[in-house]
Amino acid sequence: MALLVQKYGGTSVGTTERIEAVADRVGRFRKEGHDVVVVVSAMSGETNRLIALASDIMEEPTPREMDVLVSTGEQVTIALLSMALQKKGFDARSYTGSQVRIVTDSSHTKARIKQIDEQNMRKDLDAGRVVVVAGFQGMDENGNITTLGRGGSDTTAVALAAALKADECQIYTDVDGVYTTDPRVVDSARRLERITFEEMLEMASLGSKVLQIRAVEFAGKYNVPLRVLSSFKEGNGTLITLEDENAMEQPVVSGIAFNRDEAKLTISGVPDTPGSALGILKPISDANIEVDMIVQNVGEDNKTAFTFTVHRNDFKRAQEVLRGVTKELGAGEVGGDTKIAKVSIVGVGMRSHAGVATIMFEALSKEGINIQMISTSEIKISVVIDEKYLELAVRALHSAFELDNAGVEETF
Ligand code: ADP
Ligand code: ASP
Ligand code: MG
């Protein structure tokens, strides 16, 4: 008999019928004798609705009040799911994050979990109850309600699984596993039987929002067996595992991630002297703006062009900061482009294969797609391209790396 932590996302609890279906599924696991802790998200669309209400009142609501507001979504679903379980004859109890005592830091809207008191959950489990916990939320040391960032219920589930030393953390969603790329964009995307923590972390960081980045980090750090499955149909889903040394040959590229969240800023005529990069990026970092990719061209006549990307939400602020910077540095114009996309290929197999970049660049070039920026790490290559070519690029790469080829269906 296992201890399972199961998380059901927004679409999986989107209606009362769906909540009843979740109760049936949880009930089946109970009948098999497993202990179950369930983490639920708000009903689909609810968190967005709450955020929109806040913006009707003011442009920049205080983060503390935002957390009080958006955490209510999950409180609705824990109560409804517990009722559905009780109706079906299962003993169940709902808890908000603060009732469980999920203690976080005080960074409202993007808090990090520091500690979880698993005692009360254990008492309920020992008494034969299903424990239903609100995802996405916790409280700081002063009792203020905090939330963990969009998609944060995944992290709640993994953190509870780590605290309870659960046998498996199951993330139930509207797709039946992790795919080679977003199946909503590429029809021929293929479900992966397994993916390593490291690859999943890159995929999530580079835009595959099927799991929150922090959930994957947490699972890797505490070695929580993590599985992504569908709440709509049966199946094994995708297991996120440690790298298997004895596995048969890995595919070179396991998946393709992409995002449209970034914007590009370019300063021309930057003096090609020591300290210029610092002169540009320090004020950006002082303004609390995170920089992703950076390219500095080879200087000509002691001048160079400096390009970097930031989150689109920070684009206007970054532009303002740069206007001040160019004067100080004696640099030229500040240019910008918000219509860019980042496409990345990810795979631990890249470590032992040369020529991966060539295949990538060839596939893009064949489609006439211009690469604006490139960045690489041991297990990924990312390129920035014009946003309008995003889907074409993902499809081209998907077939160039034979991801939609049934012949490479399984690697383990
Ligand atoms: P939930 O509400 O259950 O948390 P999400 O919308 O956060 O669900 O995550 C599931 C979605 O992630 C899928 O519907 C799919 O469109 C998207 N997605 C993006 N990349 C991938 C991928 N590589 N594999 C599977 N799903 C992906
Ligand atoms: N309800 C929150 C969101 O929409 C948290 C989650 O669903 O994981 O982001
Ligand atoms: Mg999600």
Side-chain angles (χ1 to χ4, degrees):
M1 296 308 110
L3 168 55
L4 303 172
V5 175
Q6 302 187 328
K7 176 256 171 177
Y8 293 88
T11 37
S12 304
V13 292
T15 60
T16 47
E17 288 78 33
R18 290 297 314 155
I19 291 175
E20 296 227 27
V22 167
D24 287 332
R25 185 179 289 272
V26 172
R28 285 204 296 279
F29 281 93
R30 283 295 298 140
K31 279 189 191 143
E32 285 168 17
H34 302 300
D35 285 333
V36 190
V37 173
V38 187
V39 174
V40 280
S41 289
M43 294 167 84
S44 64
E46 179 61 8
T47 310
N48 288 344
R49 190 186 71 86
L50 293 166
I51 293 171
L53 286 179
S55 56
D56 281 351
I57 303 272
M58 64 195 292
E59 210 174 297
E60 278 188 39
T62 51
R64 184 187 182 281
E65 301 317 319
M66 275 312 280
D67 279 351
V68 174
L69 176 69
V70 295
S71 60
T72 59
E74 272 71 12
Q75 191 167 336
V76 171
T77 36
I78 53 170
L80 293 176
L81 178 60
S82 300
M83 289 173 197
L85 282 162
Q86 289 164 6
K87 184 175 96 175
K88 292 171 202 298
F90 298 97
D91 197 357
R93 244 183 218 181
S94 66
Y95 294 95
T96 63
S98 43
Q99 284 175 317
V100 173
R101 296 192 64 79
I102 297 175
V103 181
T104 71
D105 62 19
S106 301
S107 315
H108 285 290
T109 73
K110 47 178 184 297
R112 282 181 172 267
I113 296 175
K114 288 168 69 177
Q115 202 195 318
I116 291 177
D117 182 353
E118 86 287 1
Q119 292 306 320
N120 289 330
M121 286 186 289
R122 271 212 209 280
K123 271 186 215 146
D124 276 328
L125 292 172
D126 290 345
R129 291 190 189 108
V130 177
V131 178
V132 183
V133 179
F136 177 54
Q137 55 178 264
M139 64 166 193
D140 72 4
E141 262 147 15
N142 299 317
N144 295 298
I145 296 174
T146 54
T147 63
L148 310 177
R150 297 306 304 268
S153 300
D154 295 337
T155 303
T156 305
V158 175
L160 290 183
L164 289 160
K165 299 191 177 56
D167 294 288
E168 190 163 282
C169 180
Q170 304 176 332
I171 307 288
Y172 287 90
T173 181
D174 56 1
V175 278
D176 62 350
V178 177
Y179 276 65
T180 46
T181 193
D182 191 337
R184 287 195 210 179
V185 172
V186 178
D187 288 340
S188 56
R190 196 165 43 82
R191 182 178 62 83
L192 297 163
E193 201 67 31
R194 289 166 179 240
I195 184 169
T196 66
F197 282 117
E198 212 183 351
E199 288 170 321
M200 193 63 240
L201 191 58
E202 286 284 9
M203 291 280 282
S205 311
L206 295 166
S208 301
K209 290 177 183 141
V210 59
L211 283 175
Q212 202 200 30
I213 302 168
R214 236 174 270 159
V216 187
E217 264 170 13
F218 225 102
K221 188 167 166 193
Y222 295 98
N223 206 1
V224 175
L226 184 61
R227 195 184 285 277
V228 176
L229 320 98
S230 167
S231 68
F232 294 80
K233 59 181 198 191
E234 298 306 312
N236 291 335
T238 301
L239 186 66
I240 293 115
T241 58
L242 293 172
E243 212 159 324
D244 185 349
E245 303 270 319
N246 303 318
M248 279 157 55
E249 176 116 1
Q250 286 275 349
V252 181
V253 169
S254 297
I256 298 171
F258 52 85
N259 77 45
R260 296 180 177 87
D261 300 341
E262 291 183 28
K264 188 176 82 169
L265 293 129
T266 302
I267 316 180
S268 56
V270 177
D272 197 7
T273 49
S276 284
L278 177 72
I280 295 168
L281 295 179
K282 184 162 186 305
I284 293 285
S285 120
D286 289 346
N288 229 343
I289 298 171
E290 266 183 51
V291 170
D292 181 24
M293 289 162 89
I294 304 173
V295 171
Q296 184 180 330
N297 289 342
V298 176
E300 219 176 274
D301 300 333
N302 288 328
K303 298 275 183 191
T304 179
F306 193 94
T307 306
F308 61 94
T309 62
V310 297
H311 196 282
R312 265 187 213 184
N313 296 345
D314 292 327
F315 177 67
K316 284 220 173 89
R317 267 191 327 122
Q319 240 180 350
E320 276 157 31
V321 172
L322 288 189
R323 291 213 177 94
V325 164
T326 48
K327 274 191 209 121
E328 245 167 67
L329 284 177
E333 295 283 294
V334 176
D337 188 356
T338 54
K339 301 228 168 336
I340 59 162
K342 184 165 80 172
V343 183
S344 310
I345 55 173
V346 175
V348 288
M350 273 188 222
R351 281 198 186 112
S352 49
H353 283 81
V356 182
T358 310
I359 299 173
M360 182 180 200
F361 301 156
E362 213 166 48
L364 296 173
S365 145
K366 261 193 206 151
E367 298 294 343
I369 300 170
N370 185 41
I371 299 171
Q372 302 176 11
M373 297 173 88
I374 303 168
S375 88
T376 65
S377 77
E378 215 186 359
I379 67 158
K380 72 117 207 273
I381 304 174
S382 301
V383 294
V384 167
I385 58 169
D386 187 327
E387 185 186 18
K388 68 173 180 263
Y389 298 122
L390 175 61
E391 292 186 10
L392 178 62
V394 176
R395 283 202 197 96
L397 293 171
H398 201 263
S399 52
F401 288 101
E402 298 178 348
L403 293 174
D404 39 19
N405 179 347
V408 291
E409 172 62 36
E410 206 31 86
T411 53
F412 288 80

